[in-house]
Amino acid sequence: MSTRVRWVVAAVATATVLAALGLVLWQERPVRITVPAPPPADAARACAALHHALPRKLDGQDRRQVTTDSPLVAAWGDPPIVLRCGVPVPAAYQPTSQVVTINGVDWFPEQLTRGYVFTTVGRVANVEVSVPDAYAPEVNPLVDLAGAVADKVPKR
């Protein structure tokens, strides 16, 4: 085998190892999420139940580690889709605001610079999901979450 071929083989092997190492490092890097203030007892119980019912995949994205063991937060994918349970009612929400209803769960949408944040309304705990525009249409992750939210976070 010539020196040039050996060099190419070594370069490809090195690139493969570095790519694999990058993937491992990404998987180990937890997502930093601000944990909501502790919600009232009923909401906290609902959030804990929801946390245990969350899917491993959301819109095809794998669940990510987060920097806290709080049952109030979760994340999937890169850039991360972030869920926070027990958040306050959004300041922009009014009883006459339009909502998106997905599988029986009402979500109040707010457009961000690079995506949307959706917050449930009419439940014992408000669930907020921030979806970066990389996942357009941004409502798709809500389809994967609706069953768990409907089952574990009761309507008021």
Side-chain angles (χ1 to χ4, degrees):
M1 187 179 309
S2 74
T3 304
R4 184 179 191 110
V5 171
R6 286 183 191 154
W7 185 86
V8 169
V9 168
V12 169
T14 301
T16 302
V17 168
L18 289 175
L21 180 59
L23 181 60
V24 168
L25 290 176
W26 171 80
Q27 290 175 341
E28 292 176 1
R29 187 180 72 236
V31 177
R32 190 174 307 273
I33 303 172
T34 302
V35 177
D42 288 347
R45 279 192 295 277
C47 289
L50 175 63
H51 184 79
H52 293 293
L54 292 173
R56 289 189 171 277
K57 285 191 177 271
L58 190 64
D59 197 27
Q61 303 301 308
D62 289 323
R63 183 101 176 245
R64 298 270 310 268
Q65 285 186 323
V66 296
T67 57
T68 176
D69 61 355
S70 172
L72 303 178
V73 298
W76 296 261
D78 187 23
I81 299 167
V82 173
L83 178 142
R84 299 184 334 132
C85 189
V87 299
V89 174
Y93 178 74
Q94 300 296 316
T96 57
S97 296
Q98 285 193 321
V99 296
V100 176
T101 303
I102 298 176
N103 296 334
V105 179
D106 294 334
W107 301 87
F108 174 65
E110 295 178 272
Q111 189 167 13
L112 305 173
T113 304
R114 293 187 165 162
Y116 278 84
V117 63
F118 300 92
T119 307
T120 60
V121 293
R123 298 197 169 265
V124 297
N126 297 316
V127 178
E128 172 190 277
V129 180
S130 300
V131 184
D133 59 8
Y135 302 105
E138 289 87 345
V139 296
N140 284 352
L142 304 181
V143 174
D144 294 339
L145 290 170
V149 171
D151 188 43
K152 302 300 181 185
V153 186
K155 291 181 179 180
R156 282 182 232 224

